[in-house]
Amino acid sequence: MVMVAAQRRDAEAELNLPPGFRFHPTDEELVAYYLCTRAAGRRPPVPIIAELDLYRFDPWDLPEQALFGRREWYFFTPRDRKYPNGSRPNRAAGTGYWKATGADKPVAHGGRTVGIKKALVFYHGKPPRGIKTEWIMHEYRLADAGGRGAANKKKASTGSLRLDDWVLCRLYNKKNEWEKMQQEKEMEASHSHSQSCGDTRTPESEIDDDPFPELASLPAFGDMGPAGAIMPKEEVKEMDELGLGSDDWLSGINLDDLQGLCPQPGDVDLYGSMLVSPMGTKTEQDCGLFF
């Protein structure tokens, strides 16, 4: 595809036409200045028409083989005969065949007929049950001249199937379906490219609002006792009923009551009793049992 696109650009550049001009020759110009020149072995005015065996392809594959064009495409192609000793051309092509439609039209130049124009329609499948398509071809061949008929008879006598070395064909789609298909492909390609290079952030619908769901199973701060100890719900309920489950119980105690609970410096007996070893008291009681 890249090489074909490059060939198209080069062919159009070789025309060296001013902006707005296009290669749009008439029937007379195609036969007189391109087909006659190519059949004589000389180079056409510009190398803009591709050379290939057109009858080896389906018409929808030919635009990619052309050197230029978006709605119509030009080709030089040989023609073979259908039977070794006949003059009927072989119209089989690709997966179908070309069928002539309408009458042949003479192409004149300089007051004489130099070529014949024939219109053909492509049918997909095998005759006579082929399916008609929208692909149209105008075939330009040289008119029979004195030496040409003798040359064809010589080829037939040698068993060659070649009927014409070169004919010129103009191909187009009646409904421009190929151009629409190319536009759809370009849109799909650009869309897929934008998706691959677009925003890769996670959608908000997929974000978990709770990043630590395991914390939901832990008890609330109100269910924890003093020093952060976790208490059963029954004890928390009892403490709430007694008013111990919150800090409100401190509001009912005044400063004098708190001082009364604390020992004063003068209370020596109290400090002395606090210094008595509990082990000693227990020993005296135990000794009293022996008396």
Side-chain angles (χ1 to χ4, degrees), residues 217-237:
S217 59
L218 296 178
F221 288 103
D223 297 342
M224 301 178 65
I230 300 175
M231 303 179 64
K233 293 184 177 180
E234 292 78 3
E235 297 184 8
V236 173
K237 184 176 181 180

PDB file of all heavy atoms in Angstrom, residues 217-237:
ATOM      1  N   SER A 217     -15.285  -3.923  58.778  1.00  0.00           N
ATOM      2  CA  SER A 217     -15.635  -4.949  59.755  1.00  0.00           C
ATOM      3  C   SER A 217     -15.143  -4.621  61.154  1.00  0.00           C
ATOM      4  O   SER A 217     -15.503  -5.303  62.116  1.00  0.00           O
ATOM      5  CB  SER A 217     -15.069  -6.304  59.314  1.00  0.00           C
ATOM      6  OG  SER A 217     -13.653  -6.231  59.193  1.00  0.00           O
ATOM      7  N   LEU A 218     -14.296  -3.566  61.326  1.00  0.00           N
ATOM      8  CA  LEU A 218     -13.791  -3.224  62.644  1.00  0.00           C
ATOM      9  C   LEU A 218     -14.843  -2.453  63.422  1.00  0.00           C
ATOM     10  O   LEU A 218     -15.669  -1.746  62.849  1.00  0.00           O
ATOM     11  CB  LEU A 218     -12.523  -2.371  62.506  1.00  0.00           C
ATOM     12  CG  LEU A 218     -11.319  -3.062  61.831  1.00  0.00           C
ATOM     13  CD1 LEU A 218     -10.155  -2.093  61.730  1.00  0.00           C
ATOM     14  CD2 LEU A 218     -10.906  -4.306  62.614  1.00  0.00           C
ATOM     15  N   PRO A 219     -14.832  -2.541  64.775  1.00  0.00           N
ATOM     16  CA  PRO A 219     -15.826  -1.818  65.593  1.00  0.00           C
ATOM     17  C   PRO A 219     -15.573  -0.325  65.561  1.00  0.00           C
ATOM     18  O   PRO A 219     -14.461   0.129  65.329  1.00  0.00           O
ATOM     19  CB  PRO A 219     -15.609  -2.399  66.990  1.00  0.00           C
ATOM     20  CG  PRO A 219     -14.200  -2.907  66.982  1.00  0.00           C
ATOM     21  CD  PRO A 219     -13.934  -3.393  65.596  1.00  0.00           C
ATOM     22  N   ALA A 220     -16.618   0.432  65.820  1.00  0.00           N
ATOM     23  CA  ALA A 220     -16.497   1.880  65.856  1.00  0.00           C
ATOM     24  C   ALA A 220     -15.792   2.308  67.123  1.00  0.00           C
ATOM     25  O   ALA A 220     -15.642   1.543  68.083  1.00  0.00           O
ATOM     26  CB  ALA A 220     -17.882   2.523  65.774  1.00  0.00           C
ATOM     27  N   PHE A 221     -15.346   3.576  67.154  1.00  0.00           N
ATOM     28  CA  PHE A 221     -14.637   4.067  68.335  1.00  0.00           C
ATOM     29  C   PHE A 221     -15.521   4.066  69.573  1.00  0.00           C
ATOM     30  O   PHE A 221     -15.055   3.945  70.689  1.00  0.00           O
ATOM     31  CB  PHE A 221     -14.116   5.491  68.068  1.00  0.00           C
ATOM     32  CG  PHE A 221     -12.979   5.509  67.111  1.00  0.00           C
ATOM     33  CD1 PHE A 221     -13.178   5.886  65.798  1.00  0.00           C
ATOM     34  CD2 PHE A 221     -11.695   5.125  67.502  1.00  0.00           C
ATOM     35  CE1 PHE A 221     -12.138   5.898  64.899  1.00  0.00           C
ATOM     36  CE2 PHE A 221     -10.648   5.142  66.609  1.00  0.00           C
ATOM     37  CZ  PHE A 221     -10.865   5.525  65.303  1.00  0.00           C
ATOM     38  N   GLY A 222     -16.844   4.212  69.364  1.00  0.00           N
ATOM     39  CA  GLY A 222     -17.737   4.206  70.508  1.00  0.00           C
ATOM     40  C   GLY A 222     -17.840   2.853  71.170  1.00  0.00           C
ATOM     41  O   GLY A 222     -18.265   2.740  72.310  1.00  0.00           O
ATOM     42  N   ASP A 223     -17.497   1.785  70.500  1.00  0.00           N
ATOM     43  CA  ASP A 223     -17.561   0.433  71.056  1.00  0.00           C
ATOM     44  C   ASP A 223     -16.287   0.031  71.738  1.00  0.00           C
ATOM     45  O   ASP A 223     -16.121  -1.119  72.144  1.00  0.00           O
ATOM     46  CB  ASP A 223     -17.868  -0.567  69.928  1.00  0.00           C
ATOM     47  CG  ASP A 223     -19.228  -0.299  69.321  1.00  0.00           C
ATOM     48  OD1 ASP A 223     -20.013   0.394  69.977  1.00  0.00           O
ATOM     49  OD2 ASP A 223     -19.472  -0.783  68.196  1.00  0.00           O
ATOM     50  N   MET A 224     -15.330   0.931  71.868  1.00  0.00           N
ATOM     51  CA  MET A 224     -14.045   0.619  72.490  1.00  0.00           C
ATOM     52  C   MET A 224     -14.013   1.211  73.889  1.00  0.00           C
ATOM     53  O   MET A 224     -14.438   2.338  74.127  1.00  0.00           O
ATOM     54  CB  MET A 224     -12.895   1.170  71.653  1.00  0.00           C
ATOM     55  CG  MET A 224     -12.874   0.610  70.225  1.00  0.00           C
ATOM     56  SD  MET A 224     -11.560   1.304  69.221  1.00  0.00           S
ATOM     57  CE  MET A 224     -10.122   0.672  70.086  1.00  0.00           C
ATOM     58  N   GLY A 225     -13.499   0.443  74.801  1.00  0.00           N
ATOM     59  CA  GLY A 225     -13.413   0.884  76.184  1.00  0.00           C
ATOM     60  C   GLY A 225     -12.224   1.773  76.411  1.00  0.00           C
ATOM     61  O   GLY A 225     -11.591   2.241  75.477  1.00  0.00           O
ATOM     62  N   PRO A 226     -11.905   2.020  77.696  1.00  0.00           N
ATOM     63  CA  PRO A 226     -10.733   2.843  78.011  1.00  0.00           C
ATOM     64  C   PRO A 226      -9.461   2.199  77.504  1.00  0.00           C
ATOM     65  O   PRO A 226      -9.356   0.989  77.419  1.00  0.00           O
ATOM     66  CB  PRO A 226     -10.776   2.953  79.536  1.00  0.00           C
ATOM     67  CG  PRO A 226     -11.606   1.812  79.973  1.00  0.00           C
ATOM     68  CD  PRO A 226     -12.617   1.573  78.924  1.00  0.00           C
ATOM     69  N   ALA A 227      -8.508   3.028  77.160  1.00  0.00           N
ATOM     70  CA  ALA A 227      -7.210   2.596  76.644  1.00  0.00           C
ATOM     71  C   ALA A 227      -7.358   1.866  75.330  1.00  0.00           C
ATOM     72  O   ALA A 227      -6.484   1.120  74.930  1.00  0.00           O
ATOM     73  CB  ALA A 227      -6.480   1.715  77.659  1.00  0.00           C
ATOM     74  N   GLY A 228      -8.484   2.051  74.643  1.00  0.00           N
ATOM     75  CA  GLY A 228      -8.637   1.466  73.327  1.00  0.00           C
ATOM     76  C   GLY A 228      -8.952   0.000  73.331  1.00  0.00           C
ATOM     77  O   GLY A 228      -8.846  -0.651  72.298  1.00  0.00           O
ATOM     78  N   ALA A 229      -9.358  -0.590  74.441  1.00  0.00           N
ATOM     79  CA  ALA A 229      -9.674  -2.015  74.493  1.00  0.00           C
ATOM     80  C   ALA A 229     -11.022  -2.268  73.858  1.00  0.00           C
ATOM     81  O   ALA A 229     -11.953  -1.517  74.055  1.00  0.00           O
ATOM     82  CB  ALA A 229      -9.678  -2.497  75.943  1.00  0.00           C
ATOM     83  N   ILE A 230     -11.102  -3.313  73.105  1.00  0.00           N
ATOM     84  CA  ILE A 230     -12.346  -3.673  72.444  1.00  0.00           C
ATOM     85  C   ILE A 230     -13.225  -4.418  73.434  1.00  0.00           C
ATOM     86  O   ILE A 230     -12.807  -5.406  74.032  1.00  0.00           O
ATOM     87  CB  ILE A 230     -12.057  -4.547  71.217  1.00  0.00           C
ATOM     88  CG1 ILE A 230     -11.168  -3.765  70.237  1.00  0.00           C
ATOM     89  CG2 ILE A 230     -13.331  -4.983  70.542  1.00  0.00           C
ATOM     90  CD1 ILE A 230     -10.721  -4.591  69.054  1.00  0.00           C
ATOM     91  N   MET A 231     -14.432  -3.970  73.617  1.00  0.00           N
ATOM     92  CA  MET A 231     -15.333  -4.539  74.601  1.00  0.00           C
ATOM     93  C   MET A 231     -16.521  -5.180  73.906  1.00  0.00           C
ATOM     94  O   MET A 231     -16.931  -4.732  72.842  1.00  0.00           O
ATOM     95  CB  MET A 231     -15.824  -3.437  75.559  1.00  0.00           C
ATOM     96  CG  MET A 231     -14.693  -2.692  76.261  1.00  0.00           C
ATOM     97  SD  MET A 231     -15.324  -1.406  77.330  1.00  0.00           S
ATOM     98  CE  MET A 231     -16.235  -2.402  78.524  1.00  0.00           C
ATOM     99  N   PRO A 232     -17.071  -6.196  74.476  1.00  0.00           N
ATOM    100  CA  PRO A 232     -18.282  -6.803  73.913  1.00  0.00           C
ATOM    101  C   PRO A 232     -19.420  -5.800  73.894  1.00  0.00           C
ATOM    102  O   PRO A 232     -19.468  -4.855  74.675  1.00  0.00           O
ATOM    103  CB  PRO A 232     -18.564  -7.982  74.861  1.00  0.00           C
ATOM    104  CG  PRO A 232     -17.271  -8.248  75.538  1.00  0.00           C
ATOM    105  CD  PRO A 232     -16.553  -6.949  75.644  1.00  0.00           C
ATOM    106  N   LYS A 233     -20.375  -6.031  73.012  1.00  0.00           N
ATOM    107  CA  LYS A 233     -21.478  -5.103  72.862  1.00  0.00           C
ATOM    108  C   LYS A 233     -22.349  -5.052  74.106  1.00  0.00           C
ATOM    109  O   LYS A 233     -22.934  -4.031  74.432  1.00  0.00           O
ATOM    110  CB  LYS A 233     -22.323  -5.481  71.649  1.00  0.00           C
ATOM    111  CG  LYS A 233     -21.583  -5.300  70.329  1.00  0.00           C
ATOM    112  CD  LYS A 233     -22.486  -5.600  69.151  1.00  0.00           C
ATOM    113  CE  LYS A 233     -21.764  -5.355  67.840  1.00  0.00           C
ATOM    114  NZ  LYS A 233     -22.626  -5.631  66.681  1.00  0.00           N
ATOM    115  N   GLU A 234     -22.450  -6.197  74.865  1.00  0.00           N
ATOM    116  CA  GLU A 234     -23.273  -6.189  76.085  1.00  0.00           C
ATOM    117  C   GLU A 234     -22.694  -5.250  77.124  1.00  0.00           C
ATOM    118  O   GLU A 234     -23.407  -4.484  77.769  1.00  0.00           O
ATOM    119  CB  GLU A 234     -23.384  -7.613  76.652  1.00  0.00           C
ATOM    120  CG  GLU A 234     -24.184  -8.577  75.774  1.00  0.00           C
ATOM    121  CD  GLU A 234     -23.394  -9.091  74.598  1.00  0.00           C
ATOM    122  OE1 GLU A 234     -22.197  -8.718  74.513  1.00  0.00           O
ATOM    123  OE2 GLU A 234     -23.948  -9.830  73.770  1.00  0.00           O
ATOM    124  N   GLU A 235     -21.331  -5.280  77.301  1.00  0.00           N
ATOM    125  CA  GLU A 235     -20.707  -4.406  78.288  1.00  0.00           C
ATOM    126  C   GLU A 235     -20.808  -2.946  77.868  1.00  0.00           C
ATOM    127  O   GLU A 235     -20.977  -2.051  78.684  1.00  0.00           O
ATOM    128  CB  GLU A 235     -19.252  -4.803  78.474  1.00  0.00           C
ATOM    129  CG  GLU A 235     -19.090  -6.225  79.026  1.00  0.00           C
ATOM    130  CD  GLU A 235     -17.639  -6.555  79.287  1.00  0.00           C
ATOM    131  OE1 GLU A 235     -16.810  -5.617  79.176  1.00  0.00           O
ATOM    132  OE2 GLU A 235     -17.337  -7.705  79.604  1.00  0.00           O
ATOM    133  N   VAL A 236     -20.680  -2.695  76.541  1.00  0.00           N
ATOM    134  CA  VAL A 236     -20.804  -1.323  76.070  1.00  0.00           C
ATOM    135  C   VAL A 236     -22.191  -0.784  76.360  1.00  0.00           C
ATOM    136  O   VAL A 236     -22.373   0.355  76.781  1.00  0.00           O
ATOM    137  CB  VAL A 236     -20.505  -1.265  74.560  1.00  0.00           C
ATOM    138  CG1 VAL A 236     -20.789   0.120  74.016  1.00  0.00           C
ATOM    139  CG2 VAL A 236     -19.052  -1.645  74.301  1.00  0.00           C
ATOM    140  N   LYS A 237     -23.226  -1.653  76.226  1.00  0.00           N
ATOM    141  CA  LYS A 237     -24.588  -1.226  76.491  1.00  0.00           C
ATOM    142  C   LYS A 237     -24.783  -0.912  77.970  1.00  0.00           C
ATOM    143  O   LYS A 237     -25.415   0.073  78.341  1.00  0.00           O
ATOM    144  CB  LYS A 237     -25.549  -2.318  76.036  1.00  0.00           C
ATOM    145  CG  LYS A 237     -27.009  -1.940  76.175  1.00  0.00           C
ATOM    146  CD  LYS A 237     -27.888  -3.033  75.626  1.00  0.00           C
ATOM    147  CE  LYS A 237     -29.354  -2.652  75.751  1.00  0.00           C
ATOM    148  NZ  LYS A 237     -30.232  -3.715  75.217  1.00  0.00           N
TER     149      LYS A 237
END
